[in-house]
């Protein structure tokens, strides 16, 4: 073992040999001698020779082991002298302590730092650093860390210091050491960092002075990161804007809070190449916390990294409020111009002789994006470049009759703008050759397209309604006379089946006509207050049979669904038609989803359908996972007789019927589709808020008619179609009624005026020449207030009901009707 004084180091890491091994060896030799003395001389001599031979061989082996370094004498352990020299001469104090608190090594720096003169004075770190509670707590944390096998470090302030000074800062670190034999030890490192701390405090004070100078400078300063967050703002600017500096840098203040949207777009439009530094001078109005404007000039500097990404800006802000500038008149004029230039909704850009964008306003940056190094032709779609280039050339020639251009915006082909080009008379200044003005027309063109589509659909609807009305009169005659023939033929007659075929095909044609009337919104609806989720649940069994087993049906309803008002039967037809189309679009199977939910007025805009006004709606979504609809077909799917199905597999009236029913109900229908991904139809039906005393509709209520359909009375039959009038007259006469025929409203009035007493019932068509049905009713009511009337028409009841006086009572019979339906309606009215 070797020990040194405090002037050098303390090293107790070496281990000496053990005396017990030597005594054990001596005991073995004595035992061997005693054993040999008990043997005879001859046998003892043999064992002695063998024992000496073994000792000789062991001795030779030990000599060779010592020669090659395999064996060493105790107290002569080999060490790495260079490593020990580094530890002994380290500037930081090093001390190694075993787990039992025994110090086995301490270098000279530690002995000097701790003030120890002899090895006996060396103390562990726990005993060395005692004093204030925070010091003891820090040392305890380090000791606990090394016991847990972790390295740790602390900086502590000790007063008084180890060297007797008033106070000092020490950096103390510890880490566990693994020693041979599994013994635990810890290496403590101690350094005096008092001067380093003093330098840090000096730097911090200087930094505080610099920040104080910048905070109270006569100009504003701020820094904006690429995400638009203000990461720094000096006190001067915060005072101008009346903002709390505590909000800056903590995510509480962004450029949108202090800059209007137009100016924000202009600030964010600064672009540059990799490694470039760009400085833009921008005249804008900042926004104080109270909402007032503050005119300023920004020197906005942005540095771009090697990858082209912008860094945080360095922006100098000059206050341009009245009284802040010597040249007051010029300042006021510049502020006014900056406001006009940046706040106008018109995008403006000054263009050079080669088409380069010299300067632009905020609206231009918002419409076309950051101009950067692009030319003016680079902001429009490629197909519009030549037209814009020709307009710029005409402006350079001084022409003033340049026609405005409608262009598409590059990078966003679905957006459009109208561009006006004006030449600059004096182009000697900074190279301006033209001024370009632009207005976005995306929404206008979308509305124009929607209006054109609506006009087309209305025109087709009017045509379809007119054809349906005239065709109904033809079908009325066919069905009516078929009923008359059937009444005179028995089922066993050979002609009976032929007449039935005529009537069945006429009824089939009548169903097609009803679909046309549905598209033209002229069919008769019987709206009632319904809960859509209940109606869909009742319809689910039918839908499952329609779509088949290979298609999964999912019904998902929103909670607390609102009421709506619709014709239940027609609404079910809408869902069935959509389900059938979805089935046909999934020949290999798939999933049909029907979802309902409430859509409050504030959420309508989120769907992006500008034709839907803000109101409360009940939404029905019908989605499939089928083949989808190509974009060139999507605009035509609601047109009548348009179909993509094979001949004989569709009439093309399914979606047109859906469109008409939804529109006549007061709702909206839209289709979104992606080829290969599926189609979604969205139906918006207006929410119905029932009145307090509104009676709930009685489902399934039906009138029970008498079996006897004969009767007595005088009936005035008014119909301009001779075939229909003749059928009605024969049908009613055969049932016992007296029928007076008139081909127009004028002729009907003449008949009524010639009678001594009023007729019992009037059956009148609605659309007639000279005098229509509603006009005839008003004229008859003047003479006979209690007169009963039945209107028949190929149009819907709502198409003429609005022309009648409020509260007028009448019965409506839609064409085409059968003989039985006619006599039932008459019998009911005359009861």
């Amino acid at each position: 073992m070797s020990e040194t004084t405090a002037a050098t180091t303390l090293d107790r890491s070496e281990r000496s040999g053990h005396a017990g091994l030597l005594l054990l060896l001596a005991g073995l030799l004595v035992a061997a001698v005693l054993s040999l003395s008990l043997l005879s001389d001859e046998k003892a001599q043999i064992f002695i020779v063998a024992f000496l031979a073994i000792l000789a061989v062991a001795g030779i082996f030990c000599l060779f082991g010592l020669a090659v370094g395999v064996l060493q004498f105790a107290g002569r352990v080999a060490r790495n002298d260079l490593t020990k020299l580094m530890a002994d001469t380290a500037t930081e104090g090093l001390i190694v302590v075993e787990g039992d608190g025994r110090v086995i090594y301490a270098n000279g720096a530690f002995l000097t730092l701790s003030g120890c003169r002899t090895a006996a004075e060396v103390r562990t770190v726990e005993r060395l650093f005692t004093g204030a509670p925070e010091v003891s707590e820090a040392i305890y944390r380090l000791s606990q860390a090394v016991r847990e096998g972790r390295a740790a470090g602390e900086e502590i302030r000790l007063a008084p210091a180890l060297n007797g000074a008033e106070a000092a800062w020490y950096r103390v670190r510890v880490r566990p050491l693994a020693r041979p034999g599994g013994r635990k030890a810890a290496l403590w490192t101690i350094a005096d960092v008092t001067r380093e701390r003093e330098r840090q405090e000096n730097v911090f004070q200087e930094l505080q002075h610099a920040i104080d100078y910048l905070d109270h400078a006569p100009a504003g300063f701020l820094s904006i990161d690429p995400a638009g967050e203000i990461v720094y703002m000096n006190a001067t600017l915060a005072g101008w804007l009346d903002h709390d500096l505590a909000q800056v840098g903590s995510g509480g203040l962004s450029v949108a809070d202090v800059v209007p949207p137009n100016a924000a777009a202009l600030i964010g439009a600064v672009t540059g190449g990799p490694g470039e530094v760009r400085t833009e001078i921008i005249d804008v109005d900042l926004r104080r916390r109270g909402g007032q404007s503050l005119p300023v000039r920004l020197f906005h500097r942005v540095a771009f990294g090697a990858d082209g990404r912008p860094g945080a800006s360095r922006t100098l802000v000059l206050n341009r409020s009245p009284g802040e500038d010597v040249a007051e008149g010029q300042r006021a004029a510049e502020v006014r111009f900056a406001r006009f230039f940046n706040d106008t909704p018109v995008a403006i850009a000054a263009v050079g002789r080669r088409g380069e964008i010299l300067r632009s306003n905020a609206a231009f940056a918002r419409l076309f994006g950051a101009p950067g190094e692009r030319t003016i032709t680079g902001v429009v779609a490629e197909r519009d470049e030549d037209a814009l280039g020709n307009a710029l050339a005409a402006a350079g020639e001084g022409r003033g009759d340049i026609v405005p251009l409608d262009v598409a915006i590059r990078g966003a082909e679905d957006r459009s703008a109208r561009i006006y080009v004006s030449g600059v008379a004096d182009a000697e200044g900074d190279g301006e050759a033209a001024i370009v003005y632009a207005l976005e027309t995306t929404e206008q063109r979308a509305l124009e397209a929607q209006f054109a589509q609506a006009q087309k659909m209305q025109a087709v609807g009017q045509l379809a309604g007119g054809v349906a009305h005239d065709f109904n009169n033809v079908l009325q005659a066919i069905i009516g006379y078929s009923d008359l023939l059937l009444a005179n033929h028995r089922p066993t007659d050979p002609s009976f089946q032929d007449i039935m075929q005529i009537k069945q095909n006429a009824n089939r044609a009548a169903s097609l006509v009803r679909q046309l009337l549905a598209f033209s919104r002229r069919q008769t609806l019987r709206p009632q207050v319904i809960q859509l989720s209940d109606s869909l649940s009742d319809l689910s069994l039918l839908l499952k049979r329609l779509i088949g087993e290979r298609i999964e049906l999912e019904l998902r309803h929103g909670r607390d669904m609102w009421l709506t008002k619709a014709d239940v039967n027609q609404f079910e037809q809408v869902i069935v038609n959509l389900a059938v189309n979805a089935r046909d679009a999934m020949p290999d199977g798939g999933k049909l989803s029907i979802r309902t939910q409430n859509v409050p007025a504030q959420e309508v805009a989120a769907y992006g359908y500008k034709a839907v006004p803000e109101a409360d709606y009940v939404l029905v979504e019908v989605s499939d996972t089928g083949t989808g609809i190509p974009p060139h077909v999507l605009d035509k799917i609601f047109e009548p007789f348009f179909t993509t199905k094979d001949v004989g597999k569709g009439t093309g009236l399914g979606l047109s019927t859906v469109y008409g029913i939804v529109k006549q109900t007061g709702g909206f229908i839209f289709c979104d589709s992606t080829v290969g991904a599926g189609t979604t139809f969205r139906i918006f039906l207006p929410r119905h808020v029932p009145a307090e005393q509104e009676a709930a509709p009685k489902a399934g209520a039906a009138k029970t008619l008498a079996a006897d359909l004969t009767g007595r009375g005088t009936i005035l039959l008014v119909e301009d179609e001779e075939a229909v009038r003749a059928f009605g007259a024969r049908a009613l006469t055969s049932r016992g009624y007296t029928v007076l025929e008139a081909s127009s409203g004028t002729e009907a009035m003449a008949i009524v005026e010639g009678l001594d007493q009023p007729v019992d019932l009037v059956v009148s068509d609605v659309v007639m020449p000279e005098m229509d049905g509603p006009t005839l009713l008003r004229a008859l009511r003047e003479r006979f207030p209690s007169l009963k009337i039945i209107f028949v028409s190929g149009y819907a009841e709502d198409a003429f009901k609005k022309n009648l006086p409020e509260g007028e009572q009448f019965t409506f019979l839609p064409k085409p009707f059968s003989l039985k339906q006619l006599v039932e309606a008459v019998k009911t009215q005359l009861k």
Side-chain angles (χ1 to χ4, degrees), residues 60 68 141 160 235 368 442 456 618 645 656 717 724 778:
I60 293 172
V68 299
R141 288 194 296 269
F368 296 106
T442 304
K456 180 178 71 172
V618 177
K645 298 179 181 179
S656 62
L717 178 61
V724 176
R778 283 193 294 269

Side-chain angles (χ1 to χ4, degrees), residues 320-333:
R320 311 204 73 195
S321 300
E324 298 287 339
D325 199 337
V326 177
E328 182 63 25
Q330 180 181 353
R331 181 209 62 78

